Amino acid sequence: MWTKHHKKRYLGRLAMPAITAVFLTYFGYHSIHGEFGLESTERFNQQLVDRKARLAVLVEKRQTIEKEVALLSDGSLERDMLDERARFALNMSRADEIVIFH
């Protein structure tokens, strides 16, 4: 019966650790710099804070407009508000008034 004897190769011993190191490096890099990595999470959190601040400003503007609309509704018509809106829409004023644009 014949048997083959192989020499032990050093390349075979280093192949699996080298492949493992390459995979760990690849996934480690992408866990920090990738599309869903730590840096992207920081950018997302900053956008979230900015957009919440903008939402607060828009909600405040909307509430102001809703108050003005409530003053112009049929049930509680304010003469002063109606006069102000009519002058603004028609771009007119009385001769004795001072107009301040802002």
Side-chain angles (χ1 to χ4, degrees):
M1 183 177 295
W2 290 85
T3 60
K4 291 186 178 183
H5 294 283
H6 296 286
K7 287 185 179 179
K8 291 185 179 181
R9 296 182 185 165
Y10 293 108
L11 184 61
R13 290 183 188 174
L14 297 177
M16 196 61 176
I19 292 171
T20 304
V22 168
F23 278 118
L24 287 176
T25 304
Y26 175 80
F27 288 116
Y29 175 80
H30 285 286
S31 69
I32 295 172
H33 302 289
E35 187 177 346
F36 300 105
L38 296 175
E39 290 179 357
S40 296
T41 304
E42 287 296 323
R43 275 186 264 127
F44 176 75
N45 289 336
Q46 184 61 39
Q47 285 180 352
L48 184 65
V49 169
D50 295 341
R51 290 181 181 172
K52 281 185 179 180
R54 177 147 169 76
L55 177 65
V57 170
L58 292 175
V59 166
E60 185 178 331
K61 282 184 182 179
R62 180 182 175 137
Q63 289 173 349
T64 304
I65 292 171
E66 284 178 353
K67 286 179 186 176
E68 290 179 5
V69 168
L71 291 174
L72 290 173
S73 66
D74 291 336
S76 62
L77 189 61
E78 295 265 343
R79 288 185 53 152
D80 186 41
M81 192 65 162
L82 181 63
D83 185 45
E84 177 186 335
R85 281 290 158 204
R87 288 171 189 250
F88 183 75
L90 297 174
N91 198 18
M92 298 181 76
S93 64
R94 289 188 222 143
D96 62 344
E97 291 180 334
I98 299 174
V99 180
I100 300 173
F101 296 104
H102 61 281

